[in-house]
Amino acid sequence: PSRFRVMMSDGRHTLSSFMLSTQLNHMAEENILAPNCICNLKRHVTNILKDGRRVVIILEIDVIKPAKDVAGRIGDPTPYTEGQSKGPQSAPVPENRPPLQPQNRNEGLLGGRCLKGHNTKCMNPYMCVELTSGLIRCPKNEECRNDKLRFLFFFCNRWTIRARVTNKGSIRTWSNSRGDGKLFSMEIVDESGEIRVTGFNQEVDKFYSLIEAGKVYYISKGSLKLANKQYTSVKNDYEMTLNGESTIIPCEDSCDVPMVQCDFVSIGDLENRDKDAIVDVIGVCKSVDDISRLTTKSNREVSKRTLSLMDMSGKVVTVTLWGEEAEKFDGSSQPVVAIKGAKLSDFGGRSLSASFSSTLMINPDIPEAYKLRGWYDKEGHAMDGQSLTEVKGGSGGGNTNWKSLSDVKTEHLGHGDKADYYTCVATIVFLRKENCLYQACPSQDCNKKVVDQQNGMFRCEKCDKEFPNFKYRLILSANIADYGDNQWVTCFQESAEAILGQNAAYLGQLKDSNEAAFDEVFQHANFNTFVFRNRVKLETYNDESRIKATVMDVKPVDHKEYSKRLILNIRKLAANH
Amino acid sequence: MASLLDASKPRINCSMLSQHIGRGVCFVGRVEKVHPTGKTFSVSDGEGKSATVELNEPLEEELSGIVEVIGMVSSKGVITTTTYNILREDKGIPFDLELYNEALKVIHDFPQYYPFEVAASG
């Protein structure tokens, strides 16, 4: 088919590098597009020829005033040469403006159109860049991929981006044999991705005080290079450097630029990630523990707090917060929590930690958060969730795994390689008061049973020492029951004291001095109902295998929670019939 | 009223009043307004609906909060009561009326699992 070449004028300049796309040939053939007509160039794409010349392909053009209605040439245009443009004239500016620059400045980080005319998130009219992957390709058409373009991209910096500064680092200085220098780095995000930006020396002076984290700016003419990924979790193969030509202008109209760019990993997928990986997660905070304080090796006191996070995969993971974040965290009303750059560890299986370089967001204003909120309010709140983090202590953060005592037997809990943990509501029906107390080593961290030397001294084999005293500790054997079954369990110190309502030392005293009062403690404790967190494991002694159940934690029944759960289970059962 | 004391008194809310006319019931609700005479007061259930309670003897004490009323439903849907119980708000866990209503619905939706009917003796 014939190709029509078009010469266009905007009243100031002419350019003859326009070609009509073949599907519009009829406009030339039927004289719709005729010399002197005024038109609106709506869609176009620019090709680069082998010799470097540029050609603008007209894909869509509207004639808004036919040639016959136009008096003649408008203005005094001269041929356009790159780099030169005339100043404003008194003549009225005509409406057609062959856009040699991208129409919309705000199409995203390096957005525009590809060679095939697909409108991708690419500012550059010559090629597309998928910023997060760093690949030069058009997502619509693989054929556009052209390695040569990659290099052009680096040298062609006629783009402008609109992005929000998410992270502004402080100025760092150095001094070496080559001299002194300073730099600052920041991270910016837009709808299509994120990238790290660094300014050196003069750019520090020029831009550092102008930039505020959280605000949006138009940035242009930075140079790009491959990123040094070692020190950053920013997802981009490239990073940007500000140079003498770069401009940064505050943008007022910024509400649709995202606050943060996260690549969330589903909690269920965390099992597949390597430990020490840096990930972004988002979930609903199901529960949060109280703050605890630790002393570090360098004798500093630091606050710590764990929360359990659940997402739509139905899996739960324990997240540890530190310092101020731990202290300020408010887990009431089960907020949506997002963490960018959390550290994955294999503690307890899989768990997460928010480090100083992580960003913690509570109820962020992002679509994933709203989706989670909706899901949680509808179904998530009723799910126990399966925890990736094995919790030894039982309470909070772990997988509750509600079972009835008959379930424990029919489901053969504890028969596998690892111990199983479950939670149940049960009533104490028997407490063995004989041999519930033993004499233990008085040292703080040792609970080993001591040997009575019969001379007023007690020997601890573990500490290899003798003591004139001991401390009483409890190992209480009990039988607990619910409507369906019963279970023999062993309760150690804390849970035994909770059940008996007395501490071991006092009980020891009573046993030695007041048998009746001692008995009464047990009578009083009998037939109380609690929420038990138990550990079961099949143990083998001398060819005999028996299930051993240990109480990890005892809590009073939260009747409201229990009722809600029962009602929910009843309704679920009814719905499944 | 020997029969009232012997027969079962199902727990109901306002929407079930009409099905229990002439029968003894147990109604738990929040005291709304007390008539100046002290002989009648209104209660609201966990769904927010209201019912009227009539007493045989006028109230001798301040009535507020959640009460459990045992009585009979008259043809006009009024509960004439012989006895009531105040569920004190200052002690124990606060009573969750909405949750109670959910439990109530379960009992009525699955009567086969909640056979409260007791054969009246004599």
Side-chain angles (χ1 to χ4, degrees):
Chain A
S2 11
R3 292 307 301 270
F4 289 93
R5 187 178 173 139
V6 184
M7 182 187 211
M8 304 281 277
S9 151
D10 66 353
R12 289 189 217 153
H13 299 103
T14 60
L15 188 68
S16 61
S17 320
F18 290 87
M19 300 278 278
L20 199 61
S21 62
T22 50
Q23 75 247 31
L24 298 179
N25 275 1
H26 71 96
M27 288 181 82
E29 284 157 2
E30 291 161 22
N31 260 331
I32 300 170
L33 207 60
N36 286 329
C37 76
I38 299 180
C39 32
N40 190 2
L41 180 58
K42 293 184 86 173
R43 273 200 313 131
H44 61 97
V45 70
T46 307
N47 282 348
I48 310 159
L49 303 179
K50 287 199 180 75
D51 58 8
R53 279 186 299 151
R54 298 194 201 119
V55 173
V56 180
I57 311 291
I58 299 171
L59 300 172
E60 195 183 320
I61 188 164
D62 282 356
V63 176
I64 53 181
K65 203 164 185 185
K68 61 179 174 60
D69 293 347
V70 180
R73 174 180 273 205
I74 296 174
D76 191 15
T78 53
Y80 177 81
T81 338
E82 249 208 83
Q84 285 180 17
S85 74
K86 285 203 206 154
Q89 293 176 304
S90 49
V93 180
E95 288 185 282
N96 67 324
R97 235 192 312 257
L100 293 174
Q101 275 163 26
Q103 299 269 36
N104 181 358
R105 296 179 113 196
N106 308 326
E107 272 177 4
L109 215 64
L110 308 165
R113 251 182 268 270
C114 76
L115 299 183
K116 297 265 180 190
H118 301 129
N119 194 5
T120 65
K121 279 182 177 294
C122 178
M123 279 295 289
N124 192 310
Y126 307 109
M127 63 210 75
C128 348
V129 175
E130 214 174 82
L131 200 69
T132 50
S133 69
L135 288 175
I136 316 289
R137 71 163 187 266
C138 164
K140 291 270 173 76
N141 189 339
E142 281 295 288
E143 287 174 30
C144 286
R145 186 178 188 150
N146 186 331
D147 277 328
K148 277 202 219 146
L149 300 179
R150 186 191 293 251
F151 297 107
L152 222 119
F153 169 70
F154 282 102
F155 299 117
C156 169
N157 60 357
R158 288 183 357 171
W159 42 261
T160 301
I161 57 178
R162 183 180 69 158
R164 191 185 301 271
V165 175
T166 53
N167 212 327
K168 179 182 166 189
S170 43
I171 301 177
R172 300 204 311 266
T173 58
W174 70 85
S175 186
N176 58 27
S177 53
R178 282 178 285 171
D180 298 336
K182 57 185 171 184
L183 67 85
F184 84 98
S185 279
M186 61 182 180
E187 286 164 25
I188 59 177
V189 297
D190 81 344
E191 301 84 353
S192 72
E194 53 178 1
I195 193 168
R196 190 175 155 84
V197 180
T198 305
F200 292 89
N201 303 318
Q202 290 115 308
E203 277 67 58
V204 176
D205 296 329
K206 213 159 136 188
F207 297 120
Y208 191 76
S209 44
L210 162 73
I211 291 165
E212 270 179 62
K215 294 226 153 74
V216 177
Y217 300 89
Y218 288 112
I219 302 172
S220 68
K221 304 215 169 116
S223 31
L224 290 159
K225 61 173 201 211
L226 284 170
N228 181 347
K229 290 215 171 164
Q230 206 185 352
Y231 300 113
T232 175
S233 66
V234 169
K235 289 182 183 67
N236 201 314
D237 289 341
Y238 299 94
E239 57 185 45
M240 194 189 298
T241 308
L242 302 167
N243 56 47
E245 289 193 357
S246 309
T247 65
I248 299 183
I249 303 167
C251 166
E252 302 309 311
D253 169 31
S254 60
C255 47
D256 51 332
V257 179
M259 304 290 272
V260 68
Q261 193 67 242
C262 287
D263 185 17
F264 293 117
V265 174
S266 152
I267 293 178
D269 273 346
L270 290 176
E271 289 176 301
N272 304 327
R273 296 294 177 111
D274 294 330
K275 75 177 192 107
D276 295 336
I278 309 274
V279 291
D280 301 337
V281 286
I282 187 168
V284 177
C285 169
K286 258 176 91 74
S287 63
V288 60
D289 292 335
D290 296 326
I291 300 181
S292 57
R293 297 215 156 76
L294 306 177
T295 319
T296 69
K297 288 186 196 117
S298 41
N299 264 326
R300 267 191 315 126
E301 229 205 32
V302 68
S303 306
K304 171 183 159 175
R305 208 154 181 201
T306 50
L307 59 105
S308 64
L309 207 65
M310 175 160 101
D311 70 2
M312 293 190 264
S313 65
K315 299 273 169 77
V316 178
V317 70
T318 301
V319 181
T320 306
L321 302 179
W322 301 91
E324 221 185 289
E325 272 178 358
E327 284 162 22
K328 290 204 292 197
F329 185 75
D330 178 10
S332 60
S333 71
Q334 293 166 323
V336 173
V337 173
I339 307 171
K340 184 174 166 66
K343 183 136 180 221
L344 185 64
S345 108
D346 61 358
F347 176 76
R350 277 288 178 274
S351 53
L352 289 170
S353 177
S355 67
F356 66 90
S357 57
S358 318
T359 312
L360 180 74
M361 293 161 271
I362 315 290
N363 288 323
D365 186 13
I366 53 180
E368 291 90 342
Y370 294 113
K371 257 171 71 178
L372 265 170
R373 180 92 264 151
W375 163 82
Y376 192 77
D377 288 343
K378 218 171 107 179
E379 25 176 314
H381 69 277
M383 293 169 73
D384 280 339
Q386 213 196 329
S387 182
L388 302 180
T389 318
E390 191 50 77
V391 177
K392 296 271 158 73
S395 57
N399 161 28
T400 38
N401 199 22
W402 290 101
K403 294 284 170 206
S404 69
L405 293 177
S406 50
D407 288 341
V408 176
K409 301 208 175 135
T410 54
E411 291 174 22
H412 298 299
L413 291 181
H415 283 241
D417 294 326
K418 293 202 310 184
D420 281 320
Y421 292 81
Y422 68 88
T423 314
C424 67
V425 174
T427 305
I428 298 175
V429 292
F430 181 81
L431 288 165
R432 182 170 287 137
K433 62 178 193 276
E434 295 75 30
N435 297 323
C436 66
L437 287 158
Y438 73 96
Q439 296 165 337
C441 174
S443 324
Q444 201 181 17
D445 292 317
C446 180
N447 292 327
K448 183 143 177 75
K449 180 170 176 173
V450 290
V451 180
D452 190 340
Q453 306 283 68
Q454 304 296 341
N455 58 1
M457 297 297 276
F458 299 87
R459 181 171 171 73
C460 174
E461 296 296 348
K462 191 166 160 198
C463 299
D464 197 24
K465 269 165 73 173
E466 278 192 359
F467 302 92
N469 58 350
F470 58 83
K471 62 184 191 237
Y472 271 120
R473 281 188 70 85
L474 285 159
I475 300 186
L476 182 63
S477 188
N479 188 281
I480 62 175
D482 65 12
Y483 66 87
D485 213 319
N486 70 4
Q487 174 79 59
W488 283 98
V489 295
T490 306
C491 309
F492 292 102
Q493 186 82 343
E494 290 78 18
S495 39
E497 286 180 338
I499 287 170
L500 294 171
Q502 300 293 354
N503 67 42
Y506 178 67
L507 279 167
Q509 230 182 14
L510 272 187
K511 176 156 172 296
D512 294 336
S513 62
N514 189 343
E515 189 90 44
F518 181 73
D519 286 349
E520 213 191 296
V521 169
F522 285 83
Q523 281 191 26
H524 191 71
N526 209 9
F527 299 117
N528 287 321
T529 305
F530 294 98
V531 170
F532 291 90
R533 173 86 180 156
N534 294 344
R535 175 187 188 273
V536 276
K537 179 100 184 66
L538 193 66
E539 311 249 324
T540 316
Y541 290 128
N542 306 328
D543 297 334
E544 215 187 271
S545 292
R546 271 199 306 176
I547 281 283
K548 288 213 72 191
T550 313
V551 176
M552 307 298 294
D553 192 44
V554 166
K555 282 219 237 313
V557 178
D558 176 349
H559 293 281
K560 252 202 191 173
E561 183 271 329
Y562 188 31
S563 304
K564 281 190 189 150
R565 200 156 33 83
L566 288 173
I567 292 174
L568 198 76
N569 288 345
I570 290 172
R571 292 294 179 192
K572 267 199 219 162
L573 277 171
N576 291 338
H577 280 76
Chain B
M1 299 208 81
S3 59
L4 178 62
L5 294 169
D6 288 342
S8 71
K9 288 164 278 292
R11 291 178 175 277
I12 60 160
N13 60 18
C14 291
S15 47
M16 301 165 191
L17 278 169
S18 49
Q19 291 113 297
H20 290 80
I21 292 180
R23 307 233 289 267
V25 296
C26 175
F27 188 99
V28 176
R30 185 167 283 118
V31 177
E32 297 293 328
K33 283 171 101 122
V34 181
H35 194 267
T37 60
K39 287 204 84 175
T40 176
F41 60 92
S42 61
V43 281
S44 61
D45 66 9
E47 288 174 355
K49 304 207 190 84
S50 289
T52 311
V53 179
E54 268 174 16
L55 297 159
N56 290 335
E57 308 276 321
L59 285 168
E60 280 173 22
E61 59 180 335
E62 192 71 47
L63 198 66
S64 69
I66 314 265
V67 290
E68 181 183 57
V69 169
I70 298 184
M72 190 159 96
V73 185
S74 77
S75 52
K76 284 182 287 178
V78 167
I79 307 170
T80 51
T81 181
T82 49
T83 166
Y84 67 85
N85 236 346
I86 304 180
L87 303 183
R88 296 180 61 163
E89 293 181 307
D90 54 342
K91 277 194 167 171
I93 316 165
F95 191 82
D96 187 334
L97 196 56
E98 286 74 29
L99 186 59
Y100 173 82
N101 192 67
E102 290 302 310
L104 211 62
K105 292 201 289 200
V106 169
I107 292 171
H108 286 269
D109 286 346
F110 306 103
Q112 67 271 41
Y113 298 112
Y114 299 96
F116 292 131
E117 297 302 312
V118 173
S121 55

